[in-house]
Amino acid sequence: MRAKRSNRPKVLLAWDIENPAPAALSAVRRLIEGGAKARAVYVGSPSFKAMPEWDRRTLRAAWREKLRKQGIELAFEEGGVIPRLLTFIDEAKPDLVVLGTKSSGWIESLLLGSVAKSVRRRSSAPVLIVPAGKRG
């Protein structure tokens, strides 16, 4: 007997638990309301890995629970952020990847690039980049 394939679109949220992007989370919540199935992934950064183990466990548990309440499963990965995200995208095969951006200026973005731009260029799935909302 073959497994039944869901017709629900699969959305993957690239989530930064150290510097969350509320606008990206809001976009994913709207997609869920429209019938999408969502997952999130966080690739541990050097600053996250430098935290004491208790702090890392506490932060992981808090974000897992917060996203779970919104219908989003959160996975944690290790490795270089861009290569690991791209591998996760290839393995998960989402219909859409959602990434939030930080509120950096255009010069900084031009000189340094960003995870979102790198993933967008190299992803095997379409990528929606959600800019940070205005602070004020």
Side-chain angles (χ1 to χ4, degrees):
M1 177 182 259
R2 253 196 310 193
K4 188 176 180 181
R5 172 145 162 74
S6 171
N7 289 334
R8 294 173 62 190
K10 295 189 311 184
V11 176
L12 178 64
L13 172 63
W15 190 245
D16 185 348
I17 65 174
E18 297 172 83
N19 190 11
L25 180 57
S26 293
V28 170
R29 281 198 314 255
R30 285 191 300 274
L31 291 167
I32 291 170
E33 290 168 4
K37 181 178 180 181
R39 291 178 71 189
V41 62
Y42 170 70
V43 179
S45 67
S47 61
F48 181 77
K49 294 173 194 171
M51 287 180 186
E53 177 60 30
W54 186 86
D55 291 339
R56 289 194 313 263
R57 268 195 318 250
T58 302
L59 193 54
R60 280 193 302 256
W63 274 113
R64 262 200 181 112
E65 181 61 17
K66 180 176 176 128
L67 292 177
R68 185 193 62 75
K69 287 180 180 179
Q70 298 178 56
I72 304 169
E73 169 194 343
L74 178 59
F76 289 88
E77 298 290 325
E78 297 281 332
V81 174
I82 294 168
R84 189 61 203 124
L85 273 176
L86 291 168
T87 299
F88 196 89
I89 291 166
D90 287 343
E91 292 169 355
K93 298 182 182 4
D95 297 304
L96 179 68
V97 177
V98 178
L99 292 111
T101 61
K102 298 175 185 173
S103 57
S104 61
W106 70 271
I107 292 177
E108 181 181 347
S109 179
L110 179 66
L111 295 174
L112 301 175
S114 71
V115 170
K117 286 180 185 178
S118 295
V119 170
R120 181 189 68 206
R121 280 193 302 265
R122 298 168 46 200
S123 174
S124 59
V127 176
L128 172 65
I129 298 175
V130 181
K134 293 183 180 179
R135 296 180 184 189

